[in-house]
Amino acid sequence: MVVNKDQQELVYDVRETLRNKVGWVPECCIPAEKHKPGKMGEKEPPPSPTPHRRLLLMQVLLGVVANMGGLSAGANLGFSAVALPQMRHPNSTLTVTAEEASWIAGVAALATPVGCLLSGWLLDRLGRRPALLWQNVPALLGWLMLALPLDELLGFGNGLGLVYGGRILTGLATGMGSVPGTVYVAEVGLKELRGMLVTWTSIAISLGIVVVYVIGAVLPSWRLVAAVCAVFPLLTLVLVYAVAVESPVWLLGRGRVAEARAALARTRLARSPAEADDELAALLRERPPPPPRAAGGKAPTGIRGVLRDLRRPECWKPLLIMNAFFLFQQLSGVFVVIFYAVDMVVEAGVAADPYLVAVMIGLARLLVTFVTGFLSNKVGRRPLAIISGAGMTVCMMALATHLLLQSGSAAGDLLQPRPWLPAAALVTFILASTLGFLTLPWAMIGEVFPVRFRGVAGGFTTCSAYLYSFAVVKAHPGASHALERHGVFFFYGVMALLGTLFVVLVLPETQGRSLSDVEEYFKGRRGRRQGDVDADTEAAARLQPEKISTELKSMNGVIPPKT
């Protein structure tokens, strides 16, 4: 859109009205390059400074602390891959059948959706910081149940019930920790860093998977592995309590402007709360309008409020898109490889130590997750997701074709001297999935939903994702028997292809857009990139200057004169 002269004059008039009536102008609302020169000798406002080193370190610290819960979640996802082979060993103190092993792997995924729904309630009702704290309680209890041989100490049962209980609690904690970290860093992070920060939940989960694979390959007992994993939630609980502050966006949504101002000042390392007024003015401007009130004068809450929001396109559109994205993620076999890493290595015909290959897979996933965090901030979400889906499709199809030829065809004899091919296809699949399909859905949860709907929608979406995960993980052993190894991998390849087509046709781009701009996009209005002149002009035009200035001036102890 080309900004005409009348629109420019409107911006200037808004600025002059603020200056004349209240003697104060929030510089963040109108770009400096479009500032109308004043009287002779009046200086132009300086451009927004690049974040200094201390502020960057503060942002990194908040991002790390908020996402440390992902370590325990990743350890929970990878635990069955190292524990089940040890449990099936003849010398194991706890022996399990194939059916019991599938339940040990799947029951955590079954409990996780409940944690996702609970997480949505905690995020919206209690706040982002309490949600970050409470996710660690069931995680700590669950790991202790797995680590301590209470059945032997108390003399009852064979311990399988305690294993199920521990897996249920750690799965519950995984669901509770799936959304808060991403939502928190999306709201407290600088716009310039948000694209990178929202991927750190996936980085933490990948790191947790690597750690549990490594200690599972080193330690002789799965109970010792669980004991080490119990340190993660304990450490996270302490650090979140000591470092994290409540999200200013959540506080503003509850009308707690003074607390939001103080929290924003702390996250920006301001020497006084007044130094954060410019950014606070922008948040006040983007604050969503209050929901329509019923006949009794009260806005609908609870289920009625959620149903009211679901009638709005900015709520139901991203909800459908993200649920479909997660469905294709799970049907393409991404989580199956995580849960059955050691068994998948054997099924793929890799001629190497399966534990060593599982560790290699975990390290590769962690490395690519770091790369994804960098690239998503540079090239956007859609290109990475398309490349990821295409790579997954090629890898699964190549592996399935190799296994099919190897199983009975004469041509399969030509592939026998190449034992590296299955390993290469499996590791490349992990790399490709981590580049987009594994990480980006979790990152986008904190970006696509409106603030009033973010907790509920994020909880429901991750709940659905883990229900898909449970179904796929639980069905994998039976599917491998019914379809044979090559048939299962063919299925995963087809689903990856369909998921790629979905990304091309439906998935929107969120990189370079503010959270309010993403909401406007789903309303059916033109999406705006950061720095667009028309975006800044429209924002300035819809600003309520007297109201915002009065709120901020009153907190500074200055009451604007009445007019």
Side-chain angles (χ1 to χ4, degrees):
M1 180 186 296
V2 178
V3 180
N4 57 39
K5 183 177 180 181
D6 292 336
Q7 290 173 320
Q8 290 179 346
E9 289 299 326
L10 176 60
V11 176
Y12 301 149
D13 290 342
V14 170
R15 186 183 180 91
E16 292 301 321
T17 299
L18 284 172
R19 178 185 291 109
N20 295 334
K21 289 190 175 184
V22 300
W24 178 82
V25 181
E27 296 291 342
C28 64
C29 301
I30 303 176
E33 62 271 19
K34 292 299 174 184
H35 172 60
K36 185 177 181 179
K39 299 180 180 180
M40 183 68 67
E42 182 179 354
K43 294 183 178 180
E44 293 287 336
S48 299
T50 302
H52 55 78
R53 183 179 302 176
R54 291 182 63 246
L55 179 55
L56 290 175
L57 290 177
M58 182 62 177
Q59 291 284 295
V60 169
L61 178 62
L62 289 174
V64 169
V65 170
N67 288 293
M68 280 194 65
L71 292 175
S72 179
N76 171 66
L77 294 176
F79 181 75
S80 61
V82 299
L84 292 181
Q86 294 182 9
M87 291 179 182
R88 288 196 292 261
H89 195 275
N91 296 329
S92 174
T93 57
L94 176 64
T95 56
V96 296
T97 64
E99 179 67 16
E100 291 169 342
S102 69
W103 277 106
I104 291 174
V107 72
L110 186 61
T112 299
V114 180
C116 295
L117 296 177
L118 182 58
S119 172
W121 181 83
L122 289 172
L123 281 167
D124 283 344
R125 287 298 185 91
L126 302 185
R128 309 328 192 196
R129 185 172 179 268
L132 292 173
L133 288 169
W134 278 104
Q135 64 178 306
N136 300 287
V137 176
L140 181 60
L141 294 176
W143 287 120
L144 291 177
M145 287 181 65
L146 291 169
L148 299 177
L150 297 178
D151 55 313
E152 299 177 7
L153 296 176
L154 301 178
F156 62 89
N158 62 352
L160 190 59
L162 291 176
V163 172
Y164 287 152
R167 291 288 286 165
I168 289 174
L169 287 177
T170 55
L172 182 71
T174 298
M176 293 175 65
S178 297
V179 182
T182 303
V183 170
Y184 183 81
V185 297
E187 294 180 350
V188 305
L190 296 169
K191 287 188 294 185
E192 298 84 356
L193 302 176
R194 196 189 77 223
M196 177 183 65
L197 293 175
V198 294
T199 65
W200 285 11
T201 299
S202 297
I203 291 177
I205 292 175
S206 298
L207 181 59
I209 293 172
V210 170
V211 170
V212 81
Y213 284 173
V214 171
I215 60 180
V218 173
L219 297 180
S221 170
W222 55 271
R223 291 195 185 275
L224 293 177
V225 174
V228 174
C229 293
V231 176
F232 298 152
L234 182 61
L235 182 61
T236 303
L237 190 65
V238 173
L239 290 178
V240 170
Y241 183 83
V243 175
V245 297
E246 187 53 83
S247 163
V249 175
W250 183 83
L251 291 171
L252 283 178
R254 297 300 184 273
R256 295 153 63 175
V257 180
E259 295 177 61
R261 186 185 188 225
L264 186 62
R266 181 172 174 183
T267 62
R268 300 300 185 260
L269 296 180
R271 287 170 293 184
S272 66
E275 293 185 3
D277 281 350
D278 283 352
E279 188 172 354
L280 183 61
L283 292 177
L284 287 168
R285 180 193 68 213
E286 296 174 357
R287 182 172 48 180
R293 297 182 179 274
K298 294 184 178 181
T301 59
I303 298 297
R304 292 180 58 192
V306 172
L307 294 177
R308 177 209 66 215
D309 286 335
L310 283 174
R311 293 196 294 267
R312 301 173 181 271
E314 66 270 27
C315 295
W316 66 260
K317 285 183 179 179
L319 188 65
L320 290 179
I321 291 173
M322 293 310 299
N323 274 269
F325 199 2
F326 273 108
L327 178 62
F328 285 116
Q329 176 202 68
Q330 298 298 333
L331 291 178
S332 61
V334 173
F335 269 44
V336 172
V337 178
I338 295 174
F339 275 83
Y340 293 103
V342 176
D343 293 337
M344 290 281 285
V345 170
V346 176
E347 289 178 11
V350 178
D353 183 356
Y355 282 96
L356 178 60
V357 176
V359 172
M360 291 172 56
I361 290 174
L363 289 173
R365 181 186 295 112
L366 177 62
L367 177 62
V368 177
T369 305
F370 277 106
V371 175
T372 302
F374 174 77
L375 291 179
S376 66
N377 208 38
K378 297 293 183 182
V379 303
R381 318 295 194 249
R382 279 174 51 86
L384 290 180
I386 293 171
I387 295 172
S388 171
M392 292 163 59
T393 302
V394 171
C395 292
M396 284 291 102
M397 291 300 187
L399 181 57
T401 303
H402 171 85
L403 293 175
L404 177 62
L405 295 174
Q406 192 182 56
S407 62
S409 168
D413 297 335
L414 299 176
L415 300 178
Q416 293 296 335
R418 298 179 177 85
W420 53 267
L421 186 58
L426 197 59
V427 172
T428 306
F429 172 82
I430 294 296
L431 299 179
S433 66
T434 307
L435 190 64
F437 269 59
L438 179 63
T439 55
L440 293 183
W442 304 103
M444 294 180 70
I445 284 177
E447 298 179 310
V448 297
F449 297 117
V451 61
R452 67 178 181 276
F453 192 59
R454 195 166 294 154
V456 171
F460 177 81
T461 301
T462 53
C463 171
S464 301
Y466 281 110
L467 284 175
Y468 307 149
S469 174
F470 169 75
V472 174
V473 169
K474 187 69 174 65
H476 175 76
S480 297
H481 179 73
L483 302 178
E484 299 184 2
R485 295 182 301 168
H486 62 272
V488 172
F489 289 123
F490 268 128
F491 174 80
Y492 294 151
V494 171
M495 291 298 105
L497 176 60
L498 294 177
T500 305
L501 295 176
F502 165 80
V503 170
V504 172
L505 298 175
V506 178
L507 189 71
E509 181 59 77
T510 59
Q511 170 59 22
R513 292 185 170 93
S514 68
L515 299 179
S516 60
D517 289 342
V518 175
E519 183 174 345
E520 293 295 309
Y521 168 83
F522 285 114
K523 287 180 181 178
R525 302 171 186 173
R526 176 180 176 266
R528 303 188 300 260
R529 290 275 180 177
Q530 293 175 4
D532 285 354
V533 174
D534 64 310
D536 292 321
T537 304
E538 292 171 10
R542 70 173 181 264
L543 176 65
Q544 299 174 323
E546 289 89 354
K547 180 180 179 181
I548 294 177
S549 298
T550 301
E551 287 186 75
L552 298 180
K553 280 291 189 180
S554 63
M555 288 188 292
N556 283 325
V558 179
I559 304 299
K562 295 183 179 180
T563 57

